[in-house]
Amino acid sequence: MSAGVSGAIAEGDRLPVLSRRVSQAVINAYAEASGDFNPIHTDPDYASKGPFGRTIAHGMMTLAYASDLMSEWAGEAWLSDSAIDVAFLGPVFAGDDVTVTGVVREIVQEDAGPTTVCELTCQVGDRTVMAGSARCRIGAS
Amino acid sequence: MSAYVRYDDVDIGWTFPAEPAEFVVTDAVVDKFCTATDDRSGLYDVPRDGGVRRAPPMIAAVYLIDVLKARGGPPGGVHAKQRLAFHHALHVGDLLRTQACVTDKYVKKERRYVVAETETRNQRGEVVATGVITSIWGPDQ
């Protein structure tokens, strides 16, 4: 089991990079798992007539990748008293390689303990498809 | 008459669904979600000591889908922003009840936005997650 980050955390620390290859099979599997069968994700014929010209991945799937990164980095601290806040900036297509990166932006001392705020970016090549931040109760040790 | 809710008919304060949507966290839900998102954290594996299995906080994407369907928006909508706060860890066996409320709507760059806040409680009545969903409403049909 992942125990999460060990040692002291400092502003500017970089989180490990998370990479995922997205295929139509991956999108379909996510549709099955989430129950979201919007045809813009799963029906190439329908999607070909839409604004993107082809199917796109669910935004929540991309968000799940960012959450996975936080799970791997923060461990159990990510499971409660935590938050994530993102904007979906562009589509993710089948065949895209998605990379999620993060950096510790701020460590805030709150009544309940230290809270680390991480800036998250999700990219496909040079294109930013999602960006935002996450916070959890982990910090100065 | 359209089967979908028109943007002009979306009122601030509208709560949906009328009764909270219920969702049970099962092993199958966790298995499918972790497989679909290629989660490698190990945090959600079946515990070897027979303890209660944890669930990824981002299965919010699964229990929110029925809530979003209850909103009745037309096809072609886009998920623009998402905030989720995870207040308590989720476990297999939890019974979750979720309801949403429209808190804002506005037009920007000819796009019609709807903002809704969600609240999810577990079987003990504890608030396990809250969220804010910002969507671009699909074209009226």
Side-chain angles (χ1 to χ4, degrees), chain A residues 15 63 66-67 69-70 73 78 82-89 100-106 115-122 130-136, chain B residues 58 82-86:
Chain A
L15 278 59
L63 179 54
S67 179
L69 172 59
M70 293 303 296
W73 180 70
W78 180 239
S82 57
I84 192 163
D85 190 356
V86 301
F88 301 106
L89 303 174
V100 188
T101 57
V103 60
V104 174
R105 182 56 58 210
E106 186 178 20
T115 295
T116 294
V117 181
C118 299
E119 187 177 287
L120 300 175
T121 305
C122 184
M130 190 185 79
S133 63
R135 55 190 301 141
C136 59
Chain B
M58 269 309 299
Q82 178 71 59
R83 172 178 164 76
L84 284 165
F86 310 118

Side-chain angles (χ1 to χ4, degrees), chain A residues 1-2 20 30 32-36 46 60 64-65 67-68 71 75-76 79-88, chain B residues 32 36-44 54 57-58 61-62 65 69 75 79-87 89:
Chain A
M1 187 191 85
S2 169
R20 294 286 185 269
Y30 183 83
E32 287 281 346
S34 67
D36 184 350
Y46 176 92
M60 292 294 258
Y65 292 159
S67 179
D68 286 352
S71 286
E76 294 183 17
L79 302 183
S80 62
D81 214 2
S82 57
I84 192 163
D85 190 356
V86 301
F88 301 106
Chain B
K32 286 173 76 173
T37 58
D38 197 13
D39 184 281
R40 303 169 191 172
S41 70
L43 284 172
Y44 317 113
R54 290 175 291 217
M58 269 309 299
V62 186
I65 197 69
K69 286 176 181 173
H79 201 153
K81 296 179 185 177
Q82 178 71 59
R83 172 178 164 76
L84 284 165
F86 310 118
H87 306 288

Side-chain angles (χ1 to χ4, degrees), chain A residues 15-132:
Chain A
L15 278 59
V17 176
L18 183 142
S19 299
R20 294 286 185 269
R21 164 67 59 90
V22 175
S23 65
Q24 189 60 52
V26 167
I27 295 171
N28 292 347
Y30 183 83
E32 287 281 346
S34 67
D36 184 350
F37 292 97
N38 184 329
I40 198 168
H41 306 302
T42 59
D43 185 340
D45 286 341
Y46 176 92
S48 69
K49 302 175 185 72
F52 303 111
R54 49 185 164 145
T55 55
I56 60 171
H58 305 70
M60 292 294 258
M61 187 176 87
T62 311
L63 179 54
Y65 292 159
S67 179
D68 286 352
L69 172 59
M70 293 303 296
S71 286
E72 292 184 11
W73 180 70
E76 294 183 17
W78 180 239
L79 302 183
S80 62
D81 214 2
S82 57
I84 192 163
D85 190 356
V86 301
F88 301 106
L89 303 174
V92 173
F93 300 109
D96 282 349
D97 288 310
V98 174
T99 302
V100 188
T101 57
V103 60
V104 174
R105 182 56 58 210
E106 186 178 20
I107 300 172
V108 185
Q109 297 298 327
E110 298 181 342
D111 290 345
T115 295
T116 294
V117 181
C118 299
E119 187 177 287
L120 300 175
T121 305
C122 184
Q123 291 192 277
V124 173
D126 294 335
R127 194 162 53 88
T128 301
V129 295
M130 190 185 79

